[in-house]
């Protein structure tokens, strides 16, 4: 099994006669039985990394076995440190070539740890894909994961369901249903929590106007923002900021 992870730009892969276009932070999980080759770098100075695992390195759960058997699965590294770890590995090898073997071993180990966690998790996209045909399940995973990655990439503004569905090349109704099935909440709620987390992190280090923060997140007023913040973090934003100063 192998992972083809795009770190910068865009790349295209051909696998089992199908073309897969990947953007930064996206990857293909490919079984050993699939033939894969990189077709071209599509945008900018593309950079990627391929990590190969020996047969038997992973115990493939039943939910993922049929999906991986005859085709690659498109996944997103959004929300994990994997992409930055691989970028750091590339910079290290470029600056210190003699460190290559040690860096490569560390990169394989960190990727393996991430993948094992993904395969074991009851919240993994493999567990959420319940269609009868493996090809259909792979496509559902692709759309859900691309959408999730897009929401992680754009946290400075609201993303409409129509925009997100267009990115995933599906209908708003279908995407909302699939996304909720995979991640437990609709896209808007998922994105709102991401943006709340980002605002909370900023409140630890910056002096933000709470009314402006509420408007940025799309809340009707500061009271609605405060209620949502308290529900997620157990305290209102003002108390959160005072705690950061005390620390």
């Amino acid at each position: 099994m192998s992972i083809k992870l795009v770190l910068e730009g865009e790349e295209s892969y051909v696998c089992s006669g199908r073309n897969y276009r990947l953007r930064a932070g996206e990857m293909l999980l490919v079984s050993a039985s699939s033939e894969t080759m990189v077709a071209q770098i599509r945008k900018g100075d593309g950079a990627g990394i391929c990590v190969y695992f020996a047969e038997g390195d992973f115990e493939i759960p039943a939910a993922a076995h049929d999906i991986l058997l005859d085709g690659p699965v498109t996944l997103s590294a959004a929300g994990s440190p994997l992409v930055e770890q691989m970028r750091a590995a590339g910079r290290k090898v470029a600056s210190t070539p003699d460190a290559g073997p040690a860096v490569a071993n560390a990169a394989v180990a960190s990727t393996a740890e991430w993948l094992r966690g993904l395969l074991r998790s009851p919240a993994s996209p493999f567990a959420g894909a319940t269609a009868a045909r493996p090809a259909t399940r792979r496509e559902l995973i692709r759309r859900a994961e691309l959408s999730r990655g897009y929401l992680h990439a754009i946290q400075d503004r609201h993303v409409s369901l129509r925009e997100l569905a267009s990115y995933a090349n599906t209908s708003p109704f279908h995407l909302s249903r699939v996304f909720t099935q995979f991640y437990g909440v609709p896209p808007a709620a998922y994105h709102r929590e991401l943006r709340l987390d980002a605002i909370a992190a900023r409140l630890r280090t910056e002096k933000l106007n709470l009314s402006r923060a509420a408007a940025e997140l799309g809340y009707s007023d500061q009271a609605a923002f405060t209620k949502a913040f308290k529900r997620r973090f157990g305290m209102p934003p003002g108390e959160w900021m005072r705690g950061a100063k005390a620390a």
Side-chain angles (χ1 to χ4, degrees):
M1 187 159 57
S2 63
I3 284 180
K4 326 296 183 185
L5 172 63
V6 178
L7 302 175
E8 305 288 351
E10 295 181 3
E11 293 185 359
S12 287
Y13 291 84
V14 174
C15 185
S16 302
R18 179 175 175 181
N19 184 277
Y20 294 84
R21 176 187 177 188
L22 300 180
R23 302 171 180 87
E26 297 171 359
M27 69 184 81
L28 282 181
L29 180 59
V30 187
S31 67
S33 61
S34 299
E35 294 184 3
T36 306
M37 67 176 181
V38 61
Q40 60 179 324
I41 295 173
R42 297 179 58 96
K43 184 178 180 181
D45 296 325
I49 187 167
C50 295
V51 181
Y52 295 88
F53 303 102
E55 185 176 354
D57 278 355
F58 296 95
E59 180 180 348
I60 307 298
H65 186 269
D66 289 345
I67 300 175
L68 288 168
L69 188 62
D70 62 345
V73 177
T74 304
L75 299 171
S76 171
S80 83
L82 187 62
V83 172
E84 189 49 46
Q85 287 174 352
M86 295 304 104
R87 286 175 179 155
R91 290 192 294 267
K92 180 68 173 178
V93 171
S95 63
T96 315
D98 289 346
V103 172
N105 289 336
V108 170
S110 61
T111 306
E113 181 181 2
W114 175 85
L115 183 55
R116 287 192 184 96
L118 178 73
L119 292 173
R120 291 171 183 164
S121 172
S124 80
F126 296 105
T130 57
R133 297 176 62 244
T136 303
R137 280 179 275 167
R138 283 195 298 274
E139 182 59 20
L140 292 177
I141 291 172
R142 185 188 72 83
R143 292 175 180 176
E145 282 287 276
L146 292 185
S147 301
R148 187 178 68 84
Y150 191 73
L151 294 179
H152 277 264
I154 302 179
Q155 296 188 32
D156 60 346
R157 63 172 176 83
H158 171 70
V159 175
S160 70
L161 181 59
R162 185 175 297 277
E163 176 186 349
L164 190 62
S166 177
Y167 182 81
N169 195 29
T170 187
S171 72
F173 173 80
H174 182 71
L175 177 63
S176 181
R177 183 174 62 82
V178 169
F179 195 100
T180 304
Q181 176 184 337
F182 274 66
Y183 308 118
V185 293
Y190 187 96
H191 198 215
R192 191 180 301 117
E193 290 186 356
L194 283 179
R195 299 179 72 201
L196 271 174
D197 290 347
I199 286 290
R202 290 174 61 192
L203 289 173
R204 289 290 195 188
T205 58
E206 302 176 32
K207 186 176 181 180
L208 295 179
N209 181 286
L210 297 183
S211 295
R212 182 175 178 180
E216 286 182 10
L217 291 175
Y219 290 97
S220 57
D221 53 35
Q222 184 177 330
F225 165 65
T226 298
K227 182 178 180 181
F229 192 99
K230 185 176 181 179
R231 184 168 58 246
R232 181 150 181 82
F233 298 105
M235 65 183 72
E239 184 178 342
W240 179 270
M241 287 190 292
R242 288 192 293 273
K245 291 178 182 178

